[in-house]
Amino acid sequence: MLSFAIPIALGLVAAAGVLSAWRLVRGPSVPDRILALDTLYIDAIALLVLLGIHLDSALYFEAALLIALMGFVGTVALCKFLLRGDIIE
Amino acid sequence: MQDLLLSLLILVGALFTFIGSLGLVRLPDFYTRLHAPTKATTLGVGSLLVASALYFSTRGAGISLHEVLVTLFLFITAPVSAHLLARAALHLRLKSLAPVPGEEGEGADGGRG
Amino acid sequence: MTLLLAILAPFLGAVLIAWNRRRGRLRFAVKAGIATLAALACLGPDIPGPFVGETLVWRLPWVPSLGLDLALRLDGLGLLFALMILGIGLLVILYARYYLSPQDDMGRFYASLLFFMGAMLGVVLAENVLLLLLFWELTSLSSFLLISFWQGRSDARTGARMALTVTGAGGLALLGGLLLLGHIAGSFELSVILTSGDAIRAHPWYLPTLVLILLGAFTKSAQFPFHFWLPNAMAAPTPVSAYLHSATMVKAGVFLLARLFPALSGTPEWSWLVGGAGLVTLLVGAFIALFQHDLKGLLAYSTISHLGLITLLFGIGTPLAAVAGVFHIINHATFKASLFMAAGIIDHETGTRDMRRINGLWRWMPYTGALAMVAAAAMAGVPLFNGFLSKEMFFAETVGAASLTRHGWALPAAVTLAGVFAVAYSLRFIHDVFFNGDPIDLPKTPHEPPHWMKVPVEVLVAVCLLVGVFPALTVEPILAVAAQGVLQGPVPPHDLALWHGFSPALWMSVIALIGGVLLYTGRKPLFALSSTWGGRWSARAVYDVALATLFALARWVTRALDSGSLRRMLALFTSFALVLGYGGFLVVPAGGAGGGGLTGPLRLFPAEPGDLAVALAGTLILLAAAFAAVVLHRRRLVAVILLGAVGLLVALAFVTLSAPDLALTQLSVEVVTVILLLLALYFMPQQDPVEPVRRWGWLRRARDLTLAGAAGLGVGGLAWGVLTRPFESMGPYFIANSVPKGGGANVVNVILVDFRGFDTLGEITVLALAALGVSAMLSGLHLYGPRYDAAGRPWEPDPHPAIMALLTRLLLPLALTVAVFVLLRGHNLPGGGFIAGLITAVALIMQYLANGVAWTRARLPGDLNPVIAAGLLLAAGTGLASVALGYPFLSSTFGHWHLPVLGDLELASAMAFDLGVYLVVVGATLVILVGLGLVCTLDDGEDRR
Amino acid sequence: MRRLFPHPLLSLAVTVVWLLLVNSTAPGQVLLGLALGWAIPLVTSPFWPGRTTIHSPLTLLRFLAVVAYDILTANIAVARLILTPGRPVRPAFVVMPLTLRTDLAISLLANTICLTPGTVSARLSPDQRELLIHALDVEDPQALVETIRRRYEAPLREVFEPC
Amino acid sequence: MSHLPIAPVLVPLVAGAVMLFLPRQGLRRGLGVAAVLAQLALALALLAQVADGTTLVYALGNWPAPYGIVLVADRLAAWLLVTTALVALFALLYAVRGDDQAGPHFHPLFQWQLLGLNGAFLTGDLFNLFVFFEILLIASYALLLHGRRDPGRTRAGLHFVVINLLGSSLFLIAVGTLYGVLGTLNMADLAVKVAATPPESVGLVRAAGLLLFGVFALKAALLPLYLWLPAGYAQATAPVAALFAIMTKVGAYSILRVFVPIFGPGAGPLADLTGPWLLPLALGTLAVGSLGALAARGLRRQVAYLVVASVGSLLTGFGLGSAAGIAAGLYYLPHSTFAAAALFLLADLIAKGRGGLADRLDPGPVIPRAVTLGALFFVLAVVMAGLPPFSGFLGKVLTLKAALGHPLLPWVLGVVLLGGLCGLIALARSGSLLFYRAGPTNVPAPGPGLSALAPVAGLLMLILGLTLFAGPLTDLTSAMAGDLLAPAAQIRAVLGSEGQ
Amino acid sequence: MEALISVVIGVLTALGVWLVLRERTFPVVLGLTVLSYAVNLFLFAMGRLALGQPPVIANGARGYADPLPQALVLTAIVIGFAMTAFVIVLALKARAELRDDRVDAEADGPGEPGEEQP
Ligand code: NA
Ligand code: NA
């Protein structure tokens, strides 16, 4: 059962990544691209959690955790740049 | 049974992740697109994390709950990201399907590029 | 040993004079004289040696591997030159005391003179030819100082540089020649070289060796076409000219011919090259000398001519010619030195050297006139004076040589013509100066010079006379012994006498004397003619053009290569690397092994459908984002965002390909890099400004495209080549030893903090250095921050949106907890000090971002440099602890303790090391980011919409 | 006591987070978690100036349950919206006057609005009296404001601003 | 066990770190000078210990080679350590007169620059060499930019940094490929493995080896990769430029270390990898460096180009490939380092005496203490141009003598001799312009004091020492060349070293 | 998988080199970043590719990837980060002092070679 579900899920998440990347490349606005990058980060978390189950390894967990943290910081910095230019002021 | 539940959770999670990104592509303007990733974040990753917790708790030694942490992080951070993105879009006066209060007919798409 | 002391004495004198610079012309002259006498005294005990046929060789090892020893030799030739150098040197020292004015820097003069004297002594007393060359170059250098003594004068500077350039170049050629010579002979010692003549002449390298050595000799001895530096060197004070151009500097060249005579002479090449150069120089010098209006110019060209004469004699190559050559060296030294000194007196007393103005000096200075007449007569080859004797031997030798070839008669004819000119210019030197009417507005009223200024001239003139009248009694012993030194064998019988009967040589002398007088009488139309063509086609002009061309070439080459363009540099580097890489792979060197194909034999790693989907999607996303970043790179913010995506994908590649530590690191670094780029972007144009269309812009783009494409293909190909080959990794060793010997299950971390902890120590030093460098660059940096965003709108008024501010504060303790977790588990599971440090730094940077610098700074320690230092010291200290225990630096230890209640506790020294890493990372990252955020911004008031 | 434990709630949170991270309740880890729960709030206390008290934990729990339920349903609704081809969306900006006053409560409200699919809090007015909300698909903006007020704002006020 | 090999790395590391705790410049200065003196003493001690040909192998962390990183201290390494410490000492003595205050953090940067240099000379591991390269590079970036605001220097710094970053990328690619094919990073082990490269991988290894050569050529400023040097060195503060005189030698050293024992005569199918490349490029470098010195319009730039030329001379020796050639280069190495350093310092003293004209080669006022400075310039010009009687002359003659049997002899002879002539002409012109064509002085400034002249004189003394003791020193460099060409004993010493 | 990673490495290298050769400092910095991705992936790949075999010693592991290249890449990433930080700030300094963000003074200009800027 799981051996069916996981490849399908991997495919779905991969497709999600491709769609996000489409928006990322396509734009048209900068916030659109930031949003797409943020979504890509989410997709990456999903992928890692899936891979953890798939490969039966807990070693992917920290990466997921870190993506959650770092993705957030990146998005905040980009938005702040749009709003204020000077991100550390 | 447990496998079934796991598979279900995994598929639901992957599906919602996918739908989130699909919305990103399909929805018509930035403000509407902004809603899409929330699904991926909440239900999508949420389901997958539950699946993971379930999987490792039943397989390894002892229960595995650290997945809760990722959820916690996401639930604190994702809304802030969305909020800031909306603010940025408002600042840039991105084209909006819905009229923006205090911004009459200035549909300039200044954030382009 | 005494030989060495003799050489050292002038050098020491020079140093003493340069050191103790108290005033007083006499004081300096006395010191210089004492140094010279000391050299003579050192030489004294060894003088008898050569006279009984001994060659004294003394040796002190210096650079044995080079074959260069401090090896000195005293034979007849060396002795003769040493005596001339010291004797005439002594006279010049005395003379200069009166010649130079009190305003001149006498200390510098005498120091340079002694420096030169020592160098000359070294040349003539060297046994090792490399040592000879060493002193040879020193004569060039010291003569530069002497010629440029009146440095304020442009002709002095030009003359000195010219002399240095020409003789220095010759010296370099000589170096090449001597190296070849030494290689052929198997030694750089003269005693070996001089006995290997046959081997040398038979060697295939003989001709290049000969040419290079002759270049050295000819430049030094001012042989045509390298003669032009000598007249220009007349800008030197006259004592210098009297010294350099009579007995020493220019004689070094002919000395070399004499020195190497046994080794090199006796071949047609030698005869043609040496004889040819000598003959041309003899004629050209004599011819031009006549038309000089400058007193010293006349003497200079006459010197050139006489050097040509000596060279020609050596070129003829018979032993007797060599004897004549040596004899003329002696004679020329005496009469030319006295003539220069006389010219100096005239210059000194009249204030000019222009013979068109100096006339009728006999009236004021008959004594000097008489002395000059004797010397000039010797120069002209008038009987009873020494010049006559050697010149007659010379004429005889040319006659002898003439019988050897078909058109040989031309040689005596030519040298007779030269003799005619020599008589004419000698006559001019006397007549035009001391008679020939009245002087034309001389700057000074002439009178006889002070007594002691004449003494040196008197001595030299006396020698001319004595040798001229009683050659056998005076010069014969030293000439014989010197000739023996030249020939390194028995001296042929020669008869030094005034009268040899009516030989062809005598007739040649008569023709020369009569012809010279006639030529001088009819000089007027010739002078008029010479003023019309004079100087246009001189070798000097060639030199000037050559030098100008050299400078122009240098500028052109340098400008063409070093355009100061980074892009050019980068393109060159890339091209070079491509040539090396592709060349290395594709080009099989001759005799080398084949390279093997690109694709190796390894079976590729299979992929399941799910993995493949992920891999394909990941590749697609990565490449799309990267391509978009490059295509859109002019929109800089967009490029940064896209690059963020590339970084994320790279991290995902790491994690899926079994490198979780790498992924964690890549993710953290990625975010910090994005923040850095954003901080910088604030101060930069948001878009690449539109560049003006350049004519060759497309070409440059094509070049860049080619380079980029080739580089991509090359590196990708390299990766493919390696990935498809099997290899024996070191991995199993680390995996096997990580737990038992390193005490950690995370092998990557154990490598970082233990197996290769030294790398990590270096790596955190790099980070610390980056922090120091960045803060150094930022100190005092002022940048303009734009008041409007890219679209020309004013910035959002609220710097710290409340929701963001509050929630990020909430996040800080959580992030720190995660950091501690990552730090502590690193040894056994993915994580470690570096990642933990970045998490901490990012969490803190978040506070700056969300709450502002002022707010955050108030809550953090002010100076973070000590944090960095503490981290470094902790890491290094961990390593030193093992040193203290007698193990190598960075040896680790670990242990398990079982504690009640708490259970197993594992502690490894590597953890302390990792903590050091953590501190450095936190400190350095914060210093860099916060420093950049704090850059002092100026508002230039410019509206950048 | 207050100097040693500036934020007891935070201390508890850190300890729990630690135990979650290490995925273990071994005595050593509990001790370490407690130590961190003491140390980290102490170190970060300058960043947390005010002390927060939760006045009605039960309301908080109920609030969380409501939010979880809303997330679930809204997710499905929005998913249907995205997946149905040709279905036009009816986006709108809605201004919601706020009755909450403290930063924390407002932030949590804004977060909650963002968390539930279909609404995003787009801008907080500088005086913190109005929240601009973007909704993906609304028929009646006023009804939306009422819902938010009832389901989120009221419980939050009860928890953080009881007076 | 002897910890001597690690000490030259640790002293500057710790000194630099401790300096960050010391706020006062005076303390930093004192510590800096003390640390350099200590490094000198350590380097000399090391040289004394290995002078008989022993190789000290220091296994860091007690891990055996090839798995752990080892330091390999032999005569060659010690020779470069001594050279580095000496030039650093005089550069630092010059700097503490005030140049160190022209920007923050001079002293820690200086120490860590030395750390990078010492480490690069000592390490026996290729990747560790990369790490030390990066240390010395980033320290040099910062030091190059040290000084008062100067846009030209900033531009030069930018160019220097970017080109070297590209170089670092290439370094990693080359090292990576070697590891990917041969499975080792240890240099001694590489020597063994390269010789046994399987036939199908020879092409890859050859490409990787040559790419590595490209990296070292960049650091050594070999044609055509020398273009970063003239602007960079000419713009750097005097003591920094003086210290940088050793920087190109790192590249040259690495070429020796890697391409003689690893890709040298014993490398089987990959023998003599750089043979066809090095000598022609070195001669080209010598040529362009000499021409650049002729073309230069500023004294410092002229000296910088002479540094390029000296790189050419040095690598000509190495490029000959024979023991004599390598020995000649190794003798020439400290000479060219000291000479360039002294000239950079002197150029600074001259420039300071000329007011706004600085070091431009235009006639200007008489410089304060012109006689002393002029005399120093004369001697240093002689030294730099390779004229007798100094070590430069000896080095040049050693090189030429080594070239006597080489097929490219005419080229070597021609380029080396003509290059020397160009240097002579260029320096004579500069000296004449600076000291002879001087007009009346307009700045009654006091001339440089003894403290400013002493470092120059000190470097000159070193050159004198190199000259006087050329015999034993060339014996030493010959022995080093022998070690490099017959590396078997050293390889055994490294790979046989006992681990934990 | 090997083919994919080789293509990625190659393309990233090409893009990085292209950007490094641009005219302004910012794209050059971006190019160096892209290039460092390529180089890091390259160095990593030199240990060969493995799925689900992280080099963390555990019971029942299927195998371990070569840990050494991973450690090397980690070092390279950190060093690359330090260098990037340095060069970014240097670009700013150049912009402030040269009033321009071009890497070269005057491209194609007839400027004096080898002469420092006033
Ligand atoms: Na006259
Ligand atoms: Na929402």
Side-chain angles (χ1 to χ4, degrees), chain C residues 354-360 428 431-436:
Chain C
D354 190 339
M355 281 186 281
R356 285 165 299 190
R357 290 163 70 190
I358 306 171
N359 294 317
R428 182 177 179 207
H431 180 261
D432 211 346
V433 170
F434 292 100
F435 308 100
N436 199 25

Side-chain angles (χ1 to χ4, degrees), chain E residues 189-207:
Chain E
D189 199 28
L190 267 174
V192 175
K193 297 244 164 85
V194 164
T197 307
E200 76 273 10
S201 297
V202 166
L204 283 182
V205 176
R206 193 186 295 129

Side-chain angles (χ1 to χ4, degrees), chain A residues 2 5-6 9 46 49-54, chain B residues 2-14 43-59 64-68 71:
Chain A
L2 208 53
I6 286 180
V49 175
L50 262 177
L51 276 179
I53 300 170
H54 176 42
Chain B
Q2 192 202 26
D3 251 23
L4 192 69
L5 182 61
L6 261 177
S7 304
L8 201 68
L9 280 169
I10 286 172
L11 284 176
V12 167
L43 204 55
V45 177
S47 298
L48 286 169
L49 285 168
V50 171
S52 170
L54 192 64
Y55 179 84
F56 286 106
S57 299
T58 54
R59 224 143 278 225
S64 169
L65 282 178
H66 61 190
E67 286 80 359
V68 176
T71 320

Side-chain angles (χ1 to χ4, degrees), chain F residues 24-45:
Chain F
R24 310 237 164 209
T25 50
F26 201 79
V28 171
V29 171
L30 296 184
L32 289 168
T33 313
V34 173
L35 200 58
S36 76
Y37 293 146
V39 170
N40 290 338
L41 278 174
F42 181 88
L43 194 56
F44 170 69

Side-chain angles (χ1 to χ4, degrees), chain E residues 133-326:
Chain E
F133 262 44
E134 297 304 303
I135 294 177
L136 72 90
L137 280 173
I138 194 165
S140 70
Y141 303 156
L143 281 175
L144 175 59
L145 293 163
H146 174 84
R148 275 167 245 293
R149 190 190 144 96
D150 176 352
R153 182 189 297 141
T154 304
R155 170 103 60 200
L158 183 70
H159 290 190
F160 181 59
V161 172
V162 173
I163 188 92
N164 272 305
L165 288 181
L166 203 60
S168 300
S169 298
L170 192 62
F171 198 152
L172 285 177
I173 289 173
V175 172
T177 310
L178 286 177
Y179 179 79
V181 178
L182 302 170
T184 189
L185 296 166
N186 180 283
M187 294 190 204
D189 199 28
L190 267 174
V192 175
K193 297 244 164 85
V194 164
T197 307
E200 76 273 10
S201 297
V202 166
L204 283 182
V205 176
R206 193 186 295 129
L210 283 175
L211 290 179
L212 202 55
F213 171 67
V215 176
F216 297 153
L218 176 69
K219 316 288 175 199
L222 194 65
L223 184 81
L225 311 179
Y226 69 98
L227 290 167
W228 55 268
L229 192 148
Y233 281 33
Q235 302 277 7
T237 327
V240 173
L243 180 66
F244 279 12
I246 191 76
M247 292 273 289
T248 52
K249 276 66 179 183
V250 186
Y253 167 86
S254 306
I255 289 177
L256 268 194
R257 256 294 181 238
V258 170
F259 290 98
V260 181
I262 300 179
F263 292 99
L270 290 146
D272 198 22
L273 187 62
T274 54
W277 298 84
L278 187 52
L279 187 57
L281 290 174
L283 291 175
T285 312
L286 179 52
V288 292
S290 306
L291 290 176
L294 278 176
R297 295 187 182 173
L299 181 59
R300 288 184 300 175
R301 201 170 188 100
Q302 185 167 60
V303 180
Y305 262 110
L306 288 170
V307 170
V308 174
S310 78
V311 167
S313 297
L314 177 67
L315 291 176
T316 299
F318 293 171
L320 290 169
S322 60
I326 293 170

